[in-house]
Amino acid sequence: MAHGYELYAGADDAAAMGLLAAAEHGHLAAWDGEAQRPSIVFMHYVARLEQREIWGHLANTNPLLRRLETDPRATFTVSGPSAYVASYFTGEPRGVPTSYYSWAQFEVEVALVHETPGLLAILEAMLARFQPEGRHPPIDPAERYWQGMLGAITGVHLRIRSMASRFKYGQNKAAPLRLAVAEALEQRGLGQDAAAAGQVRVHLGAGAGPEPSGS
């Protein structure tokens, strides 16, 4: 039995922004007019929640930059813990296999950053998040070490215009069945099972109540 999209939709912008703050990487997609299809790249990023911005950088050779020069509209997506839920995890004799997951999608306008001060600000923010232990040369644009990096990248400021999110962690099922799934995931212990089980427990207060099955 398929359930309406609204059952798992994030309640408000805060849900999407919370997932953006928690994730470490996402996918930036822009329209490729020549190929008539989306062009998508992986990107680590820093979320600037108060400014409703996402900062990152791409290699100058990345063809997505050419698309963004002519059309700054793009989509950025992030995801949360996910897991495959086996049909027998709920203990139901006719259980239905499904997936638990979460994602957030942001419609953005992209500003390209070429100037040294802007690039340095992005690098400093990225290093502060992903390499807080330091152990890199002091950031100095006069040093050849940093000049090489600055000359090879283009910064991107993604200005968030709208957003949506989805959190599917068994909200269509009664609490005992959801707890059974969480315990089964924790016992299996593969990949993101433990994190997904944690989300099942977080979302125990949400949902439509008991349903026989769902996906």
Side-chain angles (χ1 to χ4, degrees):
M1 181 185 296
H3 292 273
Y5 218 67
E6 67 280 356
L7 176 61
Y8 308 116
D12 50 31
D13 286 359
M17 295 296 268
L19 192 52
L20 179 69
E24 293 187 346
H25 66 266
H27 292 87
L28 179 62
W31 184 250
D32 184 338
E34 296 178 8
Q36 290 296 295
R37 60 172 174 77
S39 181
I40 304 171
V41 297
F42 173 99
M43 193 178 84
H44 279 100
Y45 67 90
V46 172
R48 291 165 50 85
L49 302 183
E50 292 185 4
Q51 294 80 11
R52 293 173 68 90
E53 286 188 345
I54 302 163
W55 282 11
H57 58 76
L58 301 173
N60 288 339
T61 54
N62 195 311
L64 190 68
L65 290 173
R66 189 174 73 254
R67 325 257 191 268
L68 295 171
E69 287 174 352
T70 57
D71 185 352
R73 295 171 299 174
T75 300
F76 190 72
T77 60
V78 296
S79 59
S82 63
Y84 173 81
V85 177
S87 61
Y88 54 86
F89 274 9
T90 61
E92 298 171 292
R94 292 182 177 271
V96 177
T98 188
S99 296
Y100 284 0
Y101 59 86
S102 54
W103 59 253
Q105 175 175 292
F106 302 87
E107 300 305 320
V108 300
E109 183 175 338
V110 184
L112 302 182
V113 180
H114 302 286
E115 297 77 13
T116 296
L119 290 173
L120 285 174
I122 291 172
L123 286 178
E124 289 172 349
M126 296 283 283
L127 287 167
R129 183 180 190 194
F130 295 107
Q131 196 172 324
E133 70 276 16
R135 301 184 65 178
H136 57 73
I139 298 177
D140 181 354
E143 291 288 336
R144 291 184 60 187
Y145 175 84
W146 294 105
Q147 288 176 351
M149 293 188 191
L150 293 170
I153 62 173
T154 296
V156 291
H157 288 177
L158 313 182
R159 296 164 181 164
I160 298 171
R161 300 308 186 198
S162 64
M163 65 194 80
S165 59
R166 181 170 164 88
F167 298 81
K168 181 177 179 292
Y169 293 107
Q171 295 96 311
N172 62 303
K173 294 188 175 295
L177 295 182
R178 294 156 79 176
L179 286 172
V181 170
E183 291 169 359
L185 288 170
E186 290 162 349
Q187 184 174 5
R188 185 175 67 184
L190 298 175
Q192 300 181 50
D193 283 353
Q199 286 298 306
V200 173
R201 297 180 186 279
V202 167
H203 287 83
L204 267 174
E211 288 281 355
S213 60
S215 62

